[in-house]
Amino acid sequence: MKRILTVQDISCVGKCSLTVALPIISALGVETAIIPTAVLSTHTMFKNFTFKDLTDEILPITKHWKEENIGFDSIYTGYLGSDEQIDIMAKLFDEFKTDDNLIIVDPVMADNGKLYPAFDMAFAKKMATLCAKADIIIPNITEASFMTGMEYKTSYDEAYIREMINRLAELGAKTVILTGVTYDEGSIGVMGYDRESDESYYYKHDKVNASYHGTGDIFSSTLVGGLANDLTWKEAIPIAADYTAKCIQLTVDDKDGRFYGVNFEEAIPYLLKRVGK
Ligand code: PXL
């Protein structure tokens, strides 16, 4: 059984970060070790959320793992709480990188043209340096625009996306997976690019007209779990995109659907069928 490490916060209520990564990656048959970066009462889209920073715990945890000879088939980072945590992740990558494992960075910090509360441009620039150390990065268009310095646009053409992908690849990662790429009203998709093979791949599907927090984490977790099941990035993209869209649709159709996150739990059987489990 493969073992991955994911490093992100615990939002106790919110259906994002670790509370979606753990169940999704585990359901895909992959051991999921975690480092919680912080504990919040809810994700930061609620008002008055509590926040307990756990930075001081990270190095003692990884030191113990080194003593126990524990390693990982991939390391996947999501929401990080501070510049200092980015520095610590860079060290963790150096320590746990092997010839065969994958470093995957989802530079969670922004959406819809805006940084999440508590982040600023300096954080975005620092996140770009962490992306440089990754094998695979999974930004959305907003995060990509902050990291590349390109203007954020809601309407654009293929040349804009091509330039964004090129600038992201120049940051240093081998494979760039850009989410939320939409060229027309009715569809939305994901653009992947692999620098070594110079291959691009665009996958789009019908757009569900609703937006929820945590869907980026669901997409990335599924992609990470798919790769750990030996799918290629091109095989994993449609599965992760379709599963995320299905979670959104189920939430829209549910009269008790939560406003703060999607019904990812109900779509797990669909996900397992898609990966042949
Ligand atoms: O889903 C991204 C995310 C993760 N963690 C926290 C967040 C958010 C998005 O708002 O607030 C704490």
Side-chain angles (χ1 to χ4, degrees):
M1 186 189 269
K2 295 244 174 98
R3 176 169 57 217
I4 71 122
L5 165 64
T6 183
V7 186
Q8 25 190 334
D9 69 280
I10 298 179
S11 289
C12 297
V13 167
K15 299 200 197 205
C16 67
S17 40
L18 281 182
T19 64
V20 301
L22 248 177
I24 290 171
I25 300 168
S26 300
L28 287 168
V30 180
E31 181 184 346
T32 312
I34 61 165
I35 297 180
T37 53
V39 180
L40 295 81
S41 51
T42 62
H43 60 52
T44 60
M45 297 300 135
F46 283 78
K47 286 200 191 95
N48 303 327
F49 57 87
T50 68
F51 185 97
K52 171 76 177 169
D53 182 87
L54 296 177
T55 305
D56 290 350
E57 287 301 311
I58 300 176
L59 288 175
I61 289 171
T62 57
K63 179 170 173 282
H64 181 211
W65 287 345
K66 275 282 156 199
E67 287 158 9
E68 294 287 337
N69 248 327
I70 293 170
F72 303 99
D73 296 293
S74 47
I75 300 173
Y76 153 44
T77 64
Y79 184 100
L80 301 172
S82 62
D83 288 25
E84 190 188 354
Q85 286 190 350
I86 295 180
D87 286 334
I88 294 174
M89 287 308 110
K91 282 200 204 105
L92 186 145
F93 292 171
D94 290 342
E95 265 193 89
F96 285 86
K97 180 72 192 153
T98 65
D99 289 342
D100 324 300
N101 69 4
L102 282 179
I103 306 282
I104 301 161
V105 172
D106 181 347
V108 176
M109 59 187 162
D111 206 359
N112 300 314
K114 285 198 202 104
L115 287 159
Y116 295 146
F119 295 142
D120 56 18
M121 273 313 291
F123 183 86
K125 293 282 165 227
K126 188 122 190 144
M127 189 58 98
T129 67
L130 193 66
C131 285
K133 295 180 83 80
D135 296 298
I136 301 178
I137 57 172
I138 318 175
N140 61 33
I141 302 254
T142 306
E143 289 154 351
S145 72
F146 283 124
M147 290 196 296
T148 59
M150 282 177 69
E151 184 193 349
Y152 170 75
K153 292 184 183 174
T154 49
S155 170
Y156 42 75
D157 56 11
E158 286 180 28
Y160 172 81
I161 294 299
R162 171 56 43 211
E163 178 168 1
M164 190 166 258
I165 290 274
N166 288 343
R167 290 208 202 175
L168 287 166
E170 278 164 16
L171 294 178
K174 290 193 195 78
T175 308
V176 174
I177 296 178
L178 182 63
T179 62
V181 178
T182 176
Y183 295 116
D184 57 72
E185 287 275 297
S187 69
I188 187 154
V190 179
M191 181 77 186
Y193 173 70
D194 183 71
R195 202 153 46 89
E196 277 171 5
S197 62
D198 196 31
E199 273 182 294
S200 298
Y201 171 65
Y202 180 57
Y203 178 75
K204 70 172 180 173
H205 54 79
D206 287 347
K207 186 173 183 175
V208 188
N209 248 339
S211 145
Y212 294 93
H213 285 292
T215 50
D217 302 336
I218 288 170
F219 176 85
S220 296
S221 299
T222 311
L223 194 103
V224 168
L227 295 172
N229 275 275
D230 297 325
L231 299 180
T232 64
W233 60 273
K234 279 193 194 168
E235 291 165 335
I237 284 175
I239 294 175
D242 291 347
Y243 171 59
T244 307
K246 178 116 186 145
C247 296
I248 298 171
Q249 187 64 58
L250 283 168
T251 315
V252 170
D253 294 343
D254 178 0
K255 66 174 174 40
D256 296 322
R258 310 285 191 253
F259 69 88
Y260 53 79
V262 294
N263 292 15
F264 76 93
E265 304 91 337
E266 289 178 309
I268 284 178
Y270 164 83
L271 172 60
L272 297 190
K273 270 196 213 113
R274 283 291 302 267
V275 293
K277 295 245 170 219

